[in-house]
Amino acid sequence: MNDTMMLVQATWQEQQTFRMIPTSDACPYVECIYDPGTKVFVIISKIKKTALHMLPKLDEYGQALSGTKGIKQERHKLEVFQEFYVEDLTAIKDVIHFFASNANEFDYASFMTESEK
């Protein structure tokens, strides 16, 4: 067992769920969260990558510029953390038990629907 994260209760999109937070600098992840709406476990790693994102175009005062089609946007390169999406229930449980120090005490399954337990 790696024991570099801890399970905690959290709110995600107005629903109760669980997330894992790092307890050590050795942890390879920034955080993990279970999305009960999509039944996906999202893992956010410390690996950074460059991604293109559309952001509002701003004037010299930092206000978004509007055009005839709404707010004007421009493409920017941003450094973001690599994300992994785990949908398989067995794989989710394996990750939790490998990294979470309190996996046996914390009832993470109670945040999953009855068909997933």
Side-chain angles (χ1 to χ4, degrees):
M1 200 180 310
N2 201 333
D3 292 344
T4 58
M5 300 190 88
M6 182 174 75
L7 286 157
V8 295
Q9 185 171 344
T11 303
W12 178 255
Q13 298 181 354
E14 299 180 19
Q15 291 183 310
Q16 287 299 297
T17 188
F18 64 92
R19 70 174 64 215
M20 290 177 19
I21 57 173
T23 57
S24 163
D25 288 337
C27 181
Y29 306 117
V30 175
E31 73 171 326
C32 305
I33 188 161
Y34 180 77
D35 181 352
T38 60
K39 300 175 180 66
V40 173
F41 191 61
V42 181
I43 301 170
I44 304 171
S45 76
K46 289 184 178 177
I47 300 167
K48 293 183 181 177
K49 66 177 185 173
T50 301
L52 295 173
H53 287 275
M54 295 299 289
L55 299 174
K57 191 171 189 172
L58 305 176
D59 65 14
E60 63 271 13
Y61 303 107
Q63 300 297 313
L65 296 174
S66 295
T68 56
K69 297 180 182 178
I71 294 177
K72 292 183 179 183
Q73 293 190 334
E74 57 189 357
R75 190 181 320 250
H76 287 275
K77 284 184 181 180
L78 299 176
E79 194 170 82
V80 296
F81 292 110
Q82 176 70 48
E83 295 179 358
F84 302 97
Y85 302 92
V86 182
E87 297 177 31
D88 179 68
L89 181 61
T90 302
I92 292 170
K93 289 180 179 180
D94 288 346
V95 170
I96 290 170
H97 283 276
F98 186 79
F99 286 100
S101 59
N102 61 337
N104 292 325
E105 297 84 28
F106 188 90
D107 186 15
Y108 61 87
S110 68
F111 298 100
M112 299 177 177
T113 62
E114 289 299 319
S115 62
E116 292 178 324
K117 288 183 183 178

